[in-house]
Amino acid sequence: MTLSSLNRSSERETLPMIAPPPVSATAKIKTGDSLASFLKRHGVTQQQLLSWNPGLQLTALTIGQELQIAEASSGQSLLAVRPLRSGGAAWPDRPLLPPADQPDSLKPPIVGYQWPTKGVFTSGYGWRWGRMHKGIDIANNTGTPVVAARDGIVSFSGWRGAYGYLVEIAHSDGEFTRYAHNSRLLVKKGQIVPRGSRISLMGSTGRSTGPHLHFEIRRAGGAALNPLVKLPARKA
């Protein structure tokens, strides 16, 4: 291949240290996406996503929303790479920093569960008052923030009988979580919620004896499991 009319001032003697930009500068959020899976699939960080999409609210993403995933460019520059040896040249591998030295925006996303609220643990999973209690209860004042225990998509947000005001979040592996007895709901069905983002405020709606959060983790088939198996140990 022959290059003609090459501006010598733009010639590089060294290989670039970053990979070429993505083929497409935009991408849509798909069904089943979480914020972490979307970022991983397109090789971008939260900081980059926010800088390329001014005004973007990470707690208000929806399925089908189109986002900028590459920096907008006013034009293309011609790059000529001089082979260092016979057979051509290759993109160099960038050395990765040890995890402890990486900025938070470059660290792998946390995929485990976190506690969904703060308060007093009042009831565990298992048989209670002659019936199966399929979650755990955490009591606190009405209005205490409740957060998503894990990245996911809101599959239900509204009133559901004994649960009162309920938020249900579907996760990428088929599991889903339920947050019941809320006084106020802060998310809508179809909304993508990152781990730790506020989804509701604690209350005592539905069948409840006082302000608390009833929290459940369900398997892909719908069977309930003990949330304490998934949650990290609580600090004293």
Side-chain angles (χ1 to χ4, degrees):
M1 180 175 68
T2 302
L3 295 175
S4 60
S5 301
L6 176 65
N7 185 347
R8 304 299 296 184
S9 65
S10 67
E11 182 180 7
R12 295 186 60 137
E13 295 294 335
T14 59
L15 292 172
M17 290 304 294
I18 58 174
V23 175
S24 175
T26 62
K28 289 185 178 181
I29 296 175
K30 301 177 181 179
T31 300
D33 266 342
S34 65
L35 177 61
S37 65
F38 179 84
L39 295 176
K40 182 178 180 181
R41 184 168 69 252
H42 297 290
V44 299
T45 65
Q46 285 191 28
Q47 184 177 359
Q48 289 172 324
L49 197 66
L50 289 171
S51 66
W52 296 334
N53 297 269
L56 177 66
Q57 297 293 323
L58 293 180
T59 58
L61 300 178
T62 57
I63 297 170
Q65 185 175 356
E66 191 170 59
L67 300 176
Q68 190 84 11
I69 57 170
E71 185 174 12
S73 176
S74 59
Q76 297 294 326
S77 59
L78 179 62
L79 172 67
V81 179
R82 177 178 297 139
L84 301 180
R85 58 180 180 274
S86 176
W91 297 101
D93 292 329
R94 295 187 70 183
L96 295 176
L97 295 172
D101 298 328
Q102 290 184 351
D104 289 341
S105 61
L106 297 180
K107 292 180 180 179
I110 302 173
V111 297
Y113 286 88
Q114 73 168 63
W115 285 83
T117 193
K118 295 180 179 179
V120 178
F121 186 93
T122 57
S123 185
Y125 176 91
W127 287 97
R128 185 184 69 170
W129 305 331
R131 60 182 298 172
M132 185 66 178
H133 186 235
K134 297 181 179 180
I136 59 173
D137 292 343
I138 304 167
N140 208 327
N141 296 325
T142 297
T144 300
V146 176
V147 303
R150 185 178 164 197
D151 287 353
I153 299 176
V154 178
S155 54
F156 182 86
S157 180
W159 182 271
R160 185 178 288 179
Y163 283 112
Y165 284 115
L166 171 74
V167 174
E168 184 177 275
I169 299 176
H171 306 291
S172 57
D173 59 357
E175 290 184 345
F176 58 96
T177 46
R178 288 177 177 171
Y179 312 76
H181 306 309
N182 300 284
S183 62
R184 182 181 176 190
L185 305 178
L186 304 179
V187 292
K188 297 180 180 180
K189 182 178 179 179
Q191 188 172 329
I192 292 178
V193 287
R195 180 181 188 263
S197 61
R198 289 191 181 192
I199 58 172
S200 62
L201 300 180
M202 189 182 294
S204 186
T205 58
R207 188 167 60 232
S208 171
T209 57
H212 74 285
L213 171 70
H214 172 80
F215 175 67
E216 296 181 7
I217 299 179
R218 299 265 179 163
R219 300 183 190 275
L225 58 85
N226 188 346
L228 297 183
V229 174
K230 297 277 189 174
L231 293 170
R234 299 188 80 187
K235 296 179 180 179

